[in-house]
Amino acid sequence: MTRHSLEDWCRRMSERMWARQCFITQGCLDRYCLSASATPESKVVLYRAPPGYGKSVQVALAANTRELELESAVYINTRSCPDSCDVNGSLFAALVLYQLEGVESWRTIKSDIDTIEVLRNALCNAKKTIRICLDGVGEAKHTADLIEDLICETPSNVKFFIAPSRVGALPRLSMMAGVVTYGADELVFTEEEVSELSGMGGPEASNIIKATGGWPALVRLMCRTPNPNLPAATWPETRSYFRDNLLTALPNSTRTFLCNAAMLEVISAECYGYGYVYKTEEADREITFLNEHYALLAPTGTSADRMDMHPVLREYLRSLFNTTQRERRSYVLKRVAFWHWRRGEYLHSINAALEASDHRWARVVSDSIILDVALRQGEIEVLRTWFGKVPARTIKKIAALSIGYAWILYFSQQARQAEEILVSSLHPSSRGVGDLDEEGWRELVNAIGKATQDKLLESQVLCQKWIDAFGDRNMVGKGAALTCQAFIASSGRHFEELERLSHRAAVAIQSSNQHYAFIWLKTAEIQGELFKGDIARARSVLLQANKTAEKIQVPKTFLNKMFGTLELQILHEQNHHLVTQESAQASFDFALNYGVTDILWGCTQAYSRFLYHQGFRDRAMALLEQSRLASCERELSRLNILTKVQLAEFTLLNNEELGPPILPDECELTFLPNQNQAIQARMALVTSMYRLRLGKQFGVAEKYAKQALQSASAISDARTRIAAHYCQALAAFALGSSKSAKRMILDANLLSEHLNCHFTRLWIKEALLSLSPLAQDLFNDLPDDSEAKATKDPDVRIEDSSVPPVPGNAHSTITIKQISLLKCVSNGMTNREIAERLLVTEDTVKWHMKKIFSELKVTNRVQAVTEARLRGLL
């Protein structure tokens, strides 16, 4: 190529490439976490990910220099070059030189070697920061060698941003120092980025992430498709994208391999090939080729030899397989099912058999399979669907199927059918009865099944009998029985017993790798914190449970839905503005099908109050009626009574009836003692609210509020205590005790702030405002509730807030009021200001400060605040 033709070629190629750079970056997010600024010390930023993950976008964005006097950029995109043009090392060097210095630097060039040498010298002598942005390079060996040489030989102000032509190109770069690699995990979009890109709020952004897995190309398609509520694999845009941008780029054999692989539960050369499922010996080669060139398969968390693919791509390829190879579909899935069965991977086997609409293998299923999937793995929803396809006569003939199905039915809130199935397992002709009875499976299912019916005392006794008889030889069953006892302790508000049983259950669960029991044990612990009203602690336990579940690889389907019902209650209390009707409805639907009384009621109460507060009063009442109907159908009397109490409260707030609220009779409370007290506290609270609405009998209203407070305090129910304090305060205010009323409100507010019971406080305040005109006078007369904004004491400002707090302060004797006082001190308030804020005397403040100093073992206010932060009190 002559000098004139070379100059013309560089000009044309550069114009094309920079035009492509401008087009690629239009409307794209400048993602700081992936930019040059995020890793200023790196020499190379390398992007390795499947197609559609925005590698080209990131390289193009890196070429956007902002300070022309200090920076210059080179942008090379090989897609701008004609297919017939072989960009060898010298052409590559000439193109870089042209973009950096124009044609001036070519005057002394006489050969290809000179071009490369001039480029080396230009980069080594550059004073500016130079960004060399390369998209699609790496196939030609000489060019790849030159790039690696330039990386190693140029100074730190020369930086490279590279998206190789294939994932496995430029392999030596990953081993070099100063190279930062971003893969698919880093390139997927986050919820915050989706919100910025689409302009949609948190819930909508979360739905986009769930639908697409954060795959950038799919996120873009979802933001534009007219059918965003349909599965992502069915969008016409997705199908066109996969067909035109992925499949057409693959060789024919690889395309066929990938479509076949989508039908496997887990992709491996062993499962795919060696004459088993697809009868091919090329699986190893094809998997390696796909990974090195396209990264469309990724190792599972359990093994590097077992691969998986993105769920949206899998669903698309399965639909393609079903269309093109419809007659082979059932045959292939059955072979997959038997393959996993032979390996003991029973859940995969059931999933494949379920998709193949084949139940016949149930006749030869071993006893351990169904019990393992049902009791240890807890795949309730999958098995419920599968059992629906198995003939009843088949279930009755096999004891393991009968017992497993009864377990599924109990946890699907179909106790009556479960009992019938469990009885059928006793038939002498039922296969495997003797072996199962030796380990007590039937007795275990019956014992835990009683708890799902809310027969907690009976279940507690039966579980203990089972542990005594079978616990030493059936560790899976022992973990389940102990977890059931822990849940009963939580429901019965025996929190010390809950802690003891949780430790015992955790040991059994870990030793048997029992996922289902883990979910219910953590549910019991979180539920216990919700019963106490410690929302901050409930949130902490939930987050820790999710981390542990991720670490031990608990299946997410049931886990996410169960924890979602708890997260709804937590989020509703902490910040109800973040709750959406869609997420709340999804949690309620799940709880209605799979939640025991406490789970279903907690979800129902939070969702119904959320709807009522939003102004959807009819929907709130309808939701309660739906829950009450379920309680009648399932004979769950406690759920029925709890629903009636909430309905009475809503009716009272609606001012629908002037008569007294219709509440259950005391004789109907036949539950565990603390459960009875919890209901009695709520009933007394509703009665107190009714008396306040009458505008008279304030003494009677105060009496019922005190009853509610006493019952709630006895079972450590902080949320009911807060509401009772408010009712008692309004009654006292109406009776002329203004100062006492203010102190009660202040105590309730301190408690709600400490435990994050924000909605409870908002709910009772708005309820009283709607019931009595006196409430407005009371609340208007209260001091400002916000924390002091400015720190006035210069000595306090020097506290070391950089020291991380030490979690756990269970043994501290510092009261909530003293913690509030410490917050005031940390804001620089004087003793007099604190006394005015907390409605106490200065002597009382001084007395509390002495107690605080003594407990924290400090001598001044600065030390007290610092030590309180270290202990996690502030």
Side-chain angles (χ1 to χ4, degrees):
M1 191 180 289
T2 64
R3 176 174 175 177
H4 178 74
S5 61
L6 178 62
E7 177 183 343
D8 182 63
W9 180 85
C10 288
R11 177 184 57 76
R12 287 186 293 107
M13 291 302 102
S14 293
E15 288 176 354
R16 287 183 185 180
M17 291 173 183
W18 281 101
R20 182 181 291 272
Q21 188 271 346
C22 291
F23 183 81
I24 288 176
T25 55
Q26 285 180 7
C28 291
L29 291 179
D30 193 352
R31 305 168 71 185
Y32 175 82
C33 61
L34 302 174
S35 68
S37 303
T39 54
E41 74 288 348
S42 60
K43 176 74 172 176
V44 180
V45 177
L46 188 63
Y47 303 97
R48 295 190 187 277
Y53 272 77
K55 306 182 296 297
S56 295
V57 172
Q58 294 308 314
V59 172
L61 287 170
N64 286 336
T65 54
R66 292 172 175 80
E67 300 180 56
L68 298 180
E69 295 181 358
L70 302 176
E71 296 178 311
S72 59
V74 171
Y75 178 71
I76 296 178
N77 189 314
T78 58
R79 293 195 63 183
S80 297
C81 300
D83 293 338
S84 60
C85 179
D86 181 15
V87 183
N88 57 30
S90 61
L91 286 178
F92 172 83
L95 191 55
V96 174
L97 275 172
Y98 179 84
Q99 293 192 24
L100 283 177
E101 300 181 355
V103 297
E104 297 300 322
S105 58
W106 294 357
R107 291 177 179 173
T108 59
I109 296 176
K110 296 180 180 180
S111 67
D112 291 348
I113 296 176
D114 284 348
T115 305
I116 295 173
E117 193 61 30
V118 169
L119 174 61
R120 292 180 196 271
N121 293 335
L123 294 177
C124 290
N125 296 325
K127 303 301 181 184
K128 294 182 178 181
T129 295
I130 297 177
R131 299 183 184 182
I132 300 180
C133 306
L134 310 175
D135 188 5
V137 299
E139 291 291 350
K141 184 179 186 304
H142 294 298
T143 304
D145 289 343
L146 174 59
I147 292 171
E148 292 181 3
D149 290 343
L150 293 176
I151 289 170
C152 295
E153 296 170 3
T154 54
S156 60
N157 61 310
V158 180
K159 299 182 180 296
F160 293 78
F161 299 83
I162 306 174
S165 56
R166 56 184 176 86
V167 176
L170 303 174
R172 292 193 296 267
L173 287 188
S174 299
M175 298 183 288
M176 293 182 180
V179 176
V180 175
T181 301
Y182 293 120
D185 290 341
E186 292 79 24
L187 287 167
V188 293
F189 279 135
T190 64
E191 286 189 22
E192 292 77 12
E193 289 171 335
V194 169
S195 296
E196 184 180 350
L197 181 69
S198 64
M200 299 180 183
E204 290 84 359
S206 178
N207 290 335
I208 292 175
I209 293 293
K210 289 178 182 177
T212 64
W215 189 337
L218 298 184
V219 170
R220 282 281 190 182
L221 294 178
M222 188 171 183
C223 292
R224 296 173 182 175
T225 182
N227 308 299
N229 295 325
L230 296 176
T234 66
W235 302 332
E237 298 87 349
T238 305
R239 302 176 72 85
S240 298
Y241 175 77
F242 284 152
R243 182 185 64 244
D244 299 337
N245 292 275
L246 289 182
L247 296 188
T248 56
L250 300 176
N252 289 336
S253 63
T254 304
R255 188 184 314 135
T256 302
F257 176 89
L258 192 65
C259 288
N260 289 341
M263 303 304 292
L264 304 175
E265 288 292 318
V266 176
I267 303 165
S268 69
E270 186 181 11
C271 172
Y272 192 106
Y274 302 117
Y276 198 80
V277 177
Y278 289 112
K279 301 181 181 180
T280 177
E281 297 179 0
E282 302 297 327
D284 271 327
R285 183 182 65 81
E286 293 288 3
I287 289 175
T288 301
F289 179 80
L290 274 168
N291 285 343
E292 288 186 353
H293 285 77
Y294 305 99
L296 293 176
L297 303 178
T300 64
T302 56
S303 173
D305 298 329
R306 296 162 68 78
M307 315 297 288
D308 202 354
M309 69 174 68
H310 194 282
V312 178
L313 177 60
R314 177 192 287 274
E315 288 306 310
Y316 165 74
L317 293 175
R318 284 194 170 196
S319 68
L320 196 62
F321 184 97
N322 294 340
T323 301
T324 58
Q325 304 187 56
R326 187 188 305 272
E327 69 283 353
R328 297 186 65 228
R329 179 179 180 277
S330 180
Y331 168 78
V332 167
L333 288 170
K334 290 172 186 177
R335 293 193 67 85
V336 172
F338 275 100
W339 163 260
H340 287 297
W341 183 23
R342 286 177 55 190
R343 291 175 57 88
E345 297 164 346
Y346 306 130
L347 181 57
H348 288 322
S349 183
I350 287 174
N351 282 332
L354 181 60
E355 191 172 354
S357 300
D358 179 35
H359 63 266
R360 289 174 296 174
W361 70 280
R363 297 178 181 177
V364 293
V365 72
S366 64
D367 295 341
S368 60
I369 291 179
I370 202 69
L371 295 176
D372 177 84
V373 176
L375 274 73
R376 189 178 68 81
Q377 299 186 47
E379 292 291 343
I380 302 298
E381 292 177 284
V382 172
L383 287 176
R384 183 179 177 182
T385 304
W386 180 78
F387 268 115
K389 298 178 179 293
V390 180
R393 62 181 180 275
T394 302
I395 296 175
K396 292 180 179 179
K397 288 179 180 179
I398 305 171
L401 289 180
S402 299
I403 295 172
Y405 191 31
W407 177 264
I408 303 304
L409 290 171
Y410 273 129
F411 279 95
S412 300
Q413 295 304 307
Q414 300 178 58
R416 192 173 302 164
Q417 298 94 313
E419 290 174 348
E420 294 173 359
I421 292 293
L422 209 55
V423 169
S424 71
S425 69
L426 289 168
H427 197 279
S429 64
S430 184
R431 197 192 79 194
V433 174
D435 294 338
L436 293 171
D437 283 348
E438 287 184 5
E439 294 190 343
W441 287 116
R442 186 187 299 103
E443 292 85 348
L444 177 69
V445 171
N446 178 58
I448 296 177
K450 298 298 181 186
T452 67
Q453 297 173 266
D454 210 36
K455 299 176 180 178
L456 300 184
L457 187 58
E458 185 178 355
S459 177
Q460 167 72 24
V461 173
L462 290 175
C463 282
Q464 189 56 52
K465 286 183 178 179
W466 190 94
I467 292 172
D468 295 339
F470 303 100
D472 291 339
R473 59 177 182 270
N474 187 341
M475 192 55 66
V476 171
K478 185 176 182 179
L482 287 169
T483 297
C484 183
Q485 288 186 323
F487 195 92
I488 293 169
S490 175
S491 182
R493 278 76 165 174
H494 296 294
F495 301 119
E496 292 183 0
E497 183 74 2
L498 168 62
E499 185 176 1
R500 183 184 68 82
L501 286 167
S502 293
H503 288 306
R504 291 185 61 197
V507 172
I509 288 170
Q510 290 175 25
S511 65
S512 57
N513 194 25
Q514 196 170 351
H515 298 144
Y516 195 51
F518 169 85
I519 295 171
W520 279 100
L521 181 62
K522 293 304 175 184
T523 297
E525 294 174 2
I526 298 165
Q527 190 74 65
E529 300 301 333
L530 289 171
F531 285 141
K532 287 187 282 188
D534 194 339
I535 307 304
R537 176 64 181 161
R539 179 79 174 173
S540 175
V541 176
L542 176 62
L543 293 174
Q544 187 59 49
N546 273 316
K547 289 181 181 178
T548 305
E550 187 75 26
K551 184 177 181 181
I552 64 178
Q553 297 182 344
V554 176
K556 293 184 177 180
T557 304
F558 192 85
L559 172 95
N560 289 343
K561 292 179 180 179
M562 178 60 77
F563 282 6
T565 65
L566 303 169
E567 188 173 27
L568 168 65
Q569 300 173 58
I570 294 169
L571 195 61
H572 180 246
E573 275 290 352
Q574 282 192 322
N575 190 348
H576 67 280
H577 297 292
L578 299 179
V579 177
T580 65
Q581 289 192 28
E582 292 77 13
S583 63
Q585 184 66 49
S587 292
F588 175 76
D589 291 341
F590 173 79
L592 195 62
N593 288 320
Y594 299 101
V596 296
T597 292
D598 291 309
I599 298 299
L600 178 53
W601 173 243
C603 189
T604 300
Q605 185 183 46
Y607 187 22
S608 63
R609 286 189 170 184
F610 169 78
L611 289 172
Y612 194 97
H613 179 72
Q614 294 289 320
F616 302 102
R617 298 187 174 185
D618 289 343
R619 284 189 62 188
M621 300 286 277
L623 190 79
L624 290 173
E625 289 292 354
Q626 188 178 358
S627 182
R628 190 181 65 81
L629 181 61
S631 72
C632 295
E633 291 174 347
R634 302 168 189 176
E635 299 178 358
L636 301 174
S637 56
R638 184 161 64 96
L639 178 61
N640 189 18
I641 287 177
L642 288 166
T643 307
K644 284 182 179 179
V645 174
Q646 187 66 72
L647 280 168
E649 183 178 355
F650 282 179
T651 303
L652 179 66
L653 296 179
N654 281 341
N655 291 315
E656 293 177 1
E657 299 178 8
L658 294 178
I662 302 174
L663 294 168
D665 293 330
E666 290 280 346
C667 62
E668 296 181 62
L669 305 185
T670 58
F671 315 111
L672 299 179
N674 286 349
Q675 291 176 341
N676 292 337
Q677 279 208 307
I679 297 171
Q680 288 167 341
R682 296 302 305 176
M683 290 167 58
L685 193 62
V686 173
T687 305
S688 177
M689 293 165 66
Y690 167 68
R691 298 292 179 177
L692 291 170
R693 193 187 75 170
L694 292 178
K696 54 186 177 180
Q697 300 180 343
F698 293 113
V700 179
E702 185 178 38
K703 182 190 76 172
Y704 279 109
K706 288 181 178 179
Q707 286 182 9
L709 183 61
Q710 183 178 6
S711 295
S713 298
I715 57 174
S716 302
D717 183 353
R719 286 189 279 184
T720 304
R721 283 172 57 198
I722 292 167
H725 269 304
Y726 264 74
C727 289
Q728 186 183 1
L730 182 56
F733 183 78
L735 293 171
S737 300
S738 176
K739 188 173 183 180
S740 175
K742 293 176 185 177
R743 285 181 177 174
M744 291 176 196
I745 295 292
L746 180 61
D747 287 342
N749 289 348
L750 294 178
L751 185 60
S752 68
E753 288 295 326
H754 181 68
L755 301 177
N756 281 357
C757 299
H758 302 307
F759 187 81
T760 291
R761 175 180 166 187
L762 173 65
W763 174 265
I764 190 61
K765 183 176 180 178
E766 291 185 349
L768 294 181
L769 285 169
S770 70
L771 292 173
S772 173
L774 291 174
Q776 190 67 61
D777 297 332
L778 170 61
F779 297 137
N780 286 342
D781 203 25
L782 289 171
D784 183 15
D785 190 46
S786 62
E787 296 285 352
K789 294 182 179 180
T791 301
K792 301 177 182 179
D793 187 345
D795 294 329
V796 174
R797 277 181 293 188
I798 66 173
E799 86 247 1
D800 185 7
S801 59
S802 65
V803 180
V806 179
N809 52 12
H811 301 294
S812 174
T813 60
I814 291 183
T815 65
I816 293 174
K817 181 168 285 189
Q818 288 168 351
I819 291 174
S820 180
L821 190 148
L822 274 169
K823 289 180 180 178
C824 295
V825 171
S826 69
N827 285 321
M829 297 175 69
T830 65
N831 285 352
R832 182 176 181 180
E833 290 170 331
I834 295 172
E836 291 175 356
R837 173 172 168 74
L838 300 184
L839 301 178
V840 295
T841 65
E842 286 190 58
D843 288 338
T844 301
V845 173
K846 293 176 182 177
W847 183 85
H848 279 300
M849 287 304 302
K850 288 181 181 179
K851 289 287 186 181
I852 292 170
F853 288 173
S854 176
E855 169 65 23
L856 300 181
K857 296 180 174 56
V858 297
T859 58
N860 59 54
R861 293 155 70 96
V862 175
Q863 293 175 355
V865 171
T866 302
E867 183 64 23
R869 291 188 185 279
L870 286 170
R871 296 192 185 191
L873 297 172
L874 295 179

